[in-house]
Amino acid sequence: MESTESKTSVARGSLIILEGLDRSGKSSQCAKLVSYLQGKGLSVEAWRFPDRTTVIGQMISSYLSNESHLDDKVIHLLFSTNRWEKRALMESKLTSGTTLIVDRYSYSGVAFSAAKGLDFQWCKAPEEGLIAPDLVLYLDIPPENAAERGGYGTERYEKLEFQKKVAEHYYALRDSSWEIVDGCLKMESVEEQLREIAMNCISKCQNGKPLVNLWSGN
Ligand code: Z5A
Ligand code: MG
Protein backbone atom coordinates (compact mmCIF):
# COMPACT_ATOMS: atom_id res chain seq x y z
CA MET A 1 0.00 0.00 0.00
CA GLU A 2 1.22 3.50 -0.77
CA SER A 3 2.36 5.29 2.38
CA THR A 4 0.33 8.34 3.28
CA GLU A 5 3.21 9.41 5.50
CA SER A 6 5.63 10.18 2.68
CA LYS A 7 3.43 12.93 1.26
CA THR A 8 4.63 16.52 1.54
CA SER A 9 2.89 18.89 3.90
CA VAL A 10 0.22 21.01 2.23
CA ALA A 11 -2.92 22.70 3.47
CA ARG A 12 -5.65 20.14 3.98
CA GLY A 13 -8.84 19.38 5.87
CA SER A 14 -8.83 17.85 9.37
CA LEU A 15 -9.93 14.40 10.43
CA ILE A 16 -11.82 14.96 13.67
CA ILE A 17 -13.41 12.00 15.46
CA LEU A 18 -15.97 12.00 18.23
CA GLU A 19 -15.78 9.02 20.56
CA GLY A 20 -17.38 8.03 23.84
CA LEU A 21 -19.71 5.53 25.41
CA ASP A 22 -23.20 5.00 24.07
CA ARG A 23 -25.37 8.04 24.78
CA SER A 24 -22.39 10.24 25.65
CA GLY A 25 -23.68 12.80 23.13
CA LYS A 26 -21.51 12.10 20.07
CA SER A 27 -24.20 12.33 17.39
CA SER A 28 -25.74 15.47 18.92
CA GLN A 29 -22.34 17.18 19.15
CA CYS A 30 -21.25 16.10 15.66
CA ALA A 31 -24.31 17.76 14.15
CA LYS A 32 -23.77 20.96 16.14
CA LEU A 33 -20.06 21.12 15.32
CA VAL A 34 -20.64 20.54 11.61
CA SER A 35 -23.23 23.30 11.37
CA TYR A 36 -21.02 25.71 13.36
CA LEU A 37 -18.00 25.08 11.12
CA GLN A 38 -20.06 25.27 7.94
CA GLY A 39 -21.49 28.56 9.23
CA LYS A 40 -17.92 29.86 9.35
CA GLY A 41 -17.64 29.14 5.62
CA LEU A 42 -15.43 26.05 6.01
CA SER A 43 -15.75 22.98 3.81
CA VAL A 44 -16.95 20.37 6.31
CA GLU A 45 -18.78 17.04 6.05
CA ALA A 46 -20.44 14.82 8.67
CA TRP A 47 -19.43 11.15 8.52
CA ARG A 48 -20.23 8.23 10.79
CA PHE A 49 -19.19 4.66 11.43
CA PRO A 50 -20.68 2.22 11.00
CA ASP A 51 -21.67 3.64 7.62
CA ARG A 52 -24.93 1.70 7.31
CA THR A 53 -25.48 2.75 3.67
CA THR A 54 -23.04 0.20 2.17
CA VAL A 55 -23.68 -3.55 1.75
CA ILE A 56 -21.25 -4.26 4.60
CA GLY A 57 -22.88 -1.50 6.64
CA GLN A 58 -26.26 -3.19 6.20
CA MET A 59 -24.82 -6.47 7.51
CA ILE A 60 -23.52 -4.60 10.55
CA SER A 61 -26.86 -2.88 11.07
CA SER A 62 -28.72 -6.17 10.99
CA TYR A 63 -26.27 -7.62 13.53
CA LEU A 64 -26.59 -4.62 15.87
CA SER A 65 -30.37 -4.82 15.88
CA ASN A 66 -30.16 -8.55 16.73
CA GLU A 67 -31.66 -9.60 13.40
CA SER A 68 -28.59 -11.72 12.61
CA HIS A 69 -25.85 -13.48 14.51
CA LEU A 70 -22.17 -13.29 13.56
CA ASP A 71 -19.00 -14.63 15.16
CA ASP A 72 -17.26 -11.95 17.29
CA LYS A 73 -14.19 -11.91 15.03
CA VAL A 74 -16.30 -11.73 11.88
CA ILE A 75 -18.26 -8.70 13.06
CA HIS A 76 -15.03 -7.04 14.22
CA LEU A 77 -13.53 -7.43 10.75
CA LEU A 78 -16.74 -6.19 9.12
CA PHE A 79 -16.63 -3.00 11.19
CA SER A 80 -13.01 -2.54 10.12
CA THR A 81 -13.79 -3.30 6.46
CA ASN A 82 -16.54 -0.70 6.64
CA ARG A 83 -13.83 1.87 7.46
CA TRP A 84 -11.44 0.53 4.81
CA GLU A 85 -14.10 0.84 2.12
CA LYS A 86 -14.23 4.58 2.87
CA ARG A 87 -10.48 5.15 3.27
CA ALA A 88 -9.69 6.32 -0.28
CA LEU A 89 -12.60 8.77 -0.28
CA MET A 90 -11.57 9.99 3.16
CA GLU A 91 -8.04 10.72 1.96
CA SER A 92 -9.21 12.54 -1.16
CA LYS A 93 -11.63 14.70 0.85
CA LEU A 94 -8.93 15.62 3.36
CA THR A 95 -6.28 16.41 0.78
CA SER A 96 -8.71 18.52 -1.22
CA GLY A 97 -9.35 20.66 1.87
CA THR A 98 -12.55 19.23 3.36
CA THR A 99 -12.70 18.67 7.11
CA LEU A 100 -14.48 15.49 8.22
CA ILE A 101 -16.33 15.32 11.52
CA VAL A 102 -16.70 11.61 12.16
CA ASP A 103 -19.06 9.95 14.63
CA ARG A 104 -17.02 6.91 15.92
CA TYR A 105 -13.94 5.33 14.31
CA SER A 106 -11.35 2.63 15.02
CA TYR A 107 -11.42 3.35 18.77
CA SER A 108 -15.04 2.15 18.93
CA GLY A 109 -13.99 -0.85 16.87
CA VAL A 110 -11.28 -1.88 19.33
CA ALA A 111 -13.02 -0.89 22.58
CA PHE A 112 -16.24 -2.78 21.83
CA SER A 113 -14.60 -5.95 20.50
CA ALA A 114 -12.02 -6.08 23.29
CA ALA A 115 -14.85 -5.63 25.80
CA LYS A 116 -16.30 -8.89 24.46
CA GLY A 117 -13.02 -10.60 25.31
CA LEU A 118 -11.12 -10.49 22.01
CA ASP A 119 -7.38 -9.82 22.27
CA PHE A 120 -6.65 -6.07 22.33
CA GLN A 121 -3.71 -6.20 19.87
CA TRP A 122 -5.62 -8.52 17.54
CA CYS A 123 -8.43 -5.96 17.52
CA LYS A 124 -6.04 -3.12 16.63
CA ALA A 125 -4.29 -4.94 13.78
CA PRO A 126 -6.87 -4.50 10.98
CA GLU A 127 -7.13 -0.77 11.76
CA GLU A 128 -3.43 -0.17 11.03
CA GLY A 129 -3.01 1.81 7.83
CA LEU A 130 -6.30 3.68 8.10
CA ILE A 131 -5.82 7.44 8.34
CA ALA A 132 -4.86 8.64 11.81
CA PRO A 133 -7.21 11.30 13.19
CA ASP A 134 -5.84 14.78 13.80
CA LEU A 135 -8.08 15.00 16.83
CA VAL A 136 -10.17 12.60 18.89
CA LEU A 137 -12.78 14.37 20.99
CA TYR A 138 -13.68 11.91 23.73
CA LEU A 139 -16.93 12.69 25.53
CA ASP A 140 -16.26 11.36 28.99
CA ILE A 141 -19.31 10.18 30.90
CA PRO A 142 -19.74 7.50 33.60
CA PRO A 143 -21.70 4.53 32.19
CA GLU A 144 -24.34 4.99 34.90
CA ASN A 145 -25.05 8.55 33.73
CA ALA A 146 -25.22 7.47 30.11
CA ALA A 147 -27.77 4.79 31.01
CA GLU A 148 -30.10 7.49 32.35
CA ARG A 149 -30.23 9.26 28.99
CA GLY A 150 -32.96 8.72 26.40
CA GLY A 151 -33.02 5.68 24.14
CA TYR A 152 -30.46 3.57 26.05
CA GLY A 153 -30.99 -0.15 25.92
CA THR A 154 -32.38 -0.93 22.47
CA GLU A 155 -29.26 -2.16 20.63
CA ARG A 156 -27.01 -5.14 21.24
CA TYR A 157 -24.24 -3.46 23.29
CA GLU A 158 -26.32 -1.12 25.41
CA LYS A 159 -25.93 -2.92 28.74
CA LEU A 160 -24.37 -1.25 31.78
CA GLU A 161 -21.75 -3.90 32.68
CA PHE A 162 -20.63 -4.12 29.08
CA GLN A 163 -20.30 -0.34 28.79
CA LYS A 164 -18.01 -0.33 31.84
CA LYS A 165 -15.64 -2.69 30.05
CA VAL A 166 -15.83 -0.57 26.90
CA ALA A 167 -14.80 2.46 28.98
CA GLU A 168 -11.71 0.62 30.27
CA HIS A 169 -10.59 -0.22 26.75
CA TYR A 170 -11.19 3.31 25.52
CA TYR A 171 -8.93 4.44 28.35
CA ALA A 172 -6.15 2.17 27.10
CA LEU A 173 -6.39 3.68 23.60
CA ARG A 174 -5.80 7.31 24.59
CA ASP A 175 -2.88 9.05 22.90
CA SER A 176 -1.68 12.59 22.16
CA SER A 177 -4.41 13.16 19.56
CA TRP A 178 -7.09 12.83 22.27
CA GLU A 179 -8.87 15.65 24.08
CA ILE A 180 -11.07 14.51 26.93
CA VAL A 181 -14.18 16.62 27.38
CA ASP A 182 -16.59 16.24 30.28
CA GLY A 183 -19.68 14.82 28.59
CA CYS A 184 -21.80 15.34 31.73
CA LEU A 185 -21.78 19.10 31.27
CA LYS A 186 -24.73 20.87 29.69
CA MET A 187 -24.99 20.30 25.97
CA GLU A 188 -24.13 23.99 25.27
CA SER A 189 -20.96 23.89 27.42
CA VAL A 190 -19.73 20.76 25.67
CA GLU A 191 -20.52 22.39 22.33
CA GLU A 192 -18.52 25.50 23.18
CA GLN A 193 -15.44 23.49 24.23
CA LEU A 194 -15.55 21.32 21.13
CA ARG A 195 -15.73 24.38 18.87
CA GLU A 196 -12.56 25.87 20.29
CA ILE A 197 -10.53 22.64 20.22
CA ALA A 198 -11.73 21.82 16.68
CA MET A 199 -10.85 25.29 15.36
CA ASN A 200 -7.29 24.97 16.70
CA CYS A 201 -6.93 21.62 15.00
CA ILE A 202 -8.32 22.92 11.71
CA SER A 203 -5.77 25.79 11.74
CA LYS A 204 -2.88 23.35 12.21
CA CYS A 205 -4.03 21.25 9.27
CA GLN A 206 -4.47 24.35 7.11
CA ASN A 207 -0.85 25.15 7.96
CA GLY A 208 0.32 21.85 6.49
CA LYS A 209 0.31 19.23 9.27
CA PRO A 210 1.16 15.96 7.46
CA LEU A 211 -1.32 13.09 7.18
CA VAL A 212 -0.17 9.92 8.94
CA ASN A 213 -1.48 6.39 9.26
CA LEU A 214 -3.13 4.95 12.32
CA TRP A 215 -1.05 2.92 14.76
CA SER A 216 1.85 2.57 12.34
CA GLY A 217 4.36 2.83 15.19
CA ASN A 218 2.91 0.23 17.61
N1 Z5A B 1 -19.48 -0.25 17.11
C1 Z5A B 1 -18.60 -1.33 17.17
O1 Z5A B 1 -18.81 -2.28 17.90
N2 Z5A B 1 -17.49 -1.31 16.39
C2 Z5A B 1 -17.21 -0.27 15.57
O2 Z5A B 1 -16.19 -0.30 14.86
C3 Z5A B 1 -18.12 0.84 15.52
C4 Z5A B 1 -19.24 0.81 16.32
C5 Z5A B 1 -17.84 2.00 14.62
C6 Z5A B 1 -23.76 1.48 17.04
O3 Z5A B 1 -23.17 2.74 17.05
C7 Z5A B 1 -22.92 0.49 17.80
O4 Z5A B 1 -21.82 0.03 17.04
C8 Z5A B 1 -22.31 1.05 19.05
C9 Z5A B 1 -20.82 0.74 18.95
C10 Z5A B 1 -20.73 -0.28 17.90
N3 Z5A B 1 -22.81 0.40 20.21
N4 Z5A B 1 -23.94 0.22 20.52
N5 Z5A B 1 -24.98 -0.03 20.85
P1 Z5A B 1 -24.02 4.07 16.79
O5 Z5A B 1 -23.05 5.17 16.67
O6 Z5A B 1 -24.93 3.81 15.65
O7 Z5A B 1 -24.84 4.28 18.16
P2 Z5A B 1 -26.04 5.35 18.29
O8 Z5A B 1 -27.16 4.55 18.81
O9 Z5A B 1 -26.27 6.20 17.12
O10 Z5A B 1 -25.52 6.48 19.23
P3 Z5A B 1 -24.87 6.43 20.61
O11 Z5A B 1 -23.45 6.38 20.31
O12 Z5A B 1 -25.36 5.34 21.45
O13 Z5A B 1 -25.29 7.78 21.31
P4 Z5A B 1 -24.53 9.21 21.13
O14 Z5A B 1 -24.49 9.55 19.69
O15 Z5A B 1 -23.28 9.24 21.87
O16 Z5A B 1 -25.49 10.21 21.90
P5 Z5A B 1 -26.66 11.16 21.31
O17 Z5A B 1 -27.56 10.37 20.39
O18 Z5A B 1 -26.10 12.41 20.81
O19 Z5A B 1 -27.43 11.51 22.65
C11 Z5A B 1 -28.10 10.50 23.40
C12 Z5A B 1 -29.15 11.14 24.31
O20 Z5A B 1 -28.51 11.92 25.30
C13 Z5A B 1 -30.11 12.06 23.56
O21 Z5A B 1 -31.38 11.95 24.16
C14 Z5A B 1 -29.50 13.45 23.84
O22 Z5A B 1 -30.46 14.46 23.77
C15 Z5A B 1 -28.95 13.27 25.23
N6 Z5A B 1 -27.78 14.11 25.50
C16 Z5A B 1 -26.69 14.31 24.70
N7 Z5A B 1 -25.81 15.15 25.28
C17 Z5A B 1 -26.33 15.48 26.48
C18 Z5A B 1 -25.88 16.33 27.54
N8 Z5A B 1 -24.71 16.98 27.50
N9 Z5A B 1 -26.66 16.44 28.64
C19 Z5A B 1 -27.84 15.77 28.71
N10 Z5A B 1 -28.34 14.96 27.73
C20 Z5A B 1 -27.60 14.82 26.63
MG1 MG C 1 -24.82 8.28 18.02
Side-chain angles (χ1 to χ4, degrees), residues 22-28 48 52 79 83 104 109 185:
D22 291 358
R23 301 299 180 260
S24 55
K26 299 177 297 299
S27 300
S28 311
R48 67 178 306 173
R52 303 189 194 214
F79 271 116
R83 284 181 279 280
R104 296 190 186 276
L185 297 175

Side-chain angles (χ1 to χ4, degrees), residues 47-161:
W47 282 34
R48 67 178 306 173
F49 291 107
D51 177 342
R52 303 189 194 214
T53 64
T54 70
V55 171
I56 289 165
Q58 283 160 22
M59 292 170 73
I60 294 170
S61 191
S62 150
Y63 169 84
L64 285 171
S65 54
N66 289 304
E67 285 160 27
S68 63
H69 176 76
L70 292 169
D71 177 86
D72 289 346
K73 288 187 174 171
V74 172
I75 185 63
H76 180 77
L77 294 172
L78 285 180
F79 271 116
S80 184
T81 307
N82 187 232
R83 284 181 279 280
W84 275 101
E85 64 182 339
K86 303 304 291 277
R87 190 199 183 285
L89 182 62
M90 183 178 265
E91 184 169 352
S92 85
K93 293 276 180 189
L94 293 170
T95 52
S96 67
T98 298
T99 285
L100 304 177
I101 306 297
V102 186
D103 192 345
R104 296 190 186 276
Y105 197 54
S106 303
Y107 311 93
S108 287
V110 176
F112 278 80
S113 293
K116 290 176 177 175
L118 296 187
D119 179 75
F120 189 73
Q121 292 303 333
W122 185 91
C123 292
K124 284 179 81 176
E127 308 296 318
E128 287 170 19
L130 289 171
I131 300 174
D134 297 298
L135 173 65
V136 178
L137 293 164
Y138 184 79
L139 302 184
D140 199 18
I141 177 171
E144 292 81 0
N145 295 35
E148 286 164 12
R149 290 187 175 170
Y152 195 77
T154 53
E155 276 203 332
R156 187 180 278 267
Y157 297 141
E158 296 173 339
K159 310 270 186 308
L160 187 56
E161 286 313 306

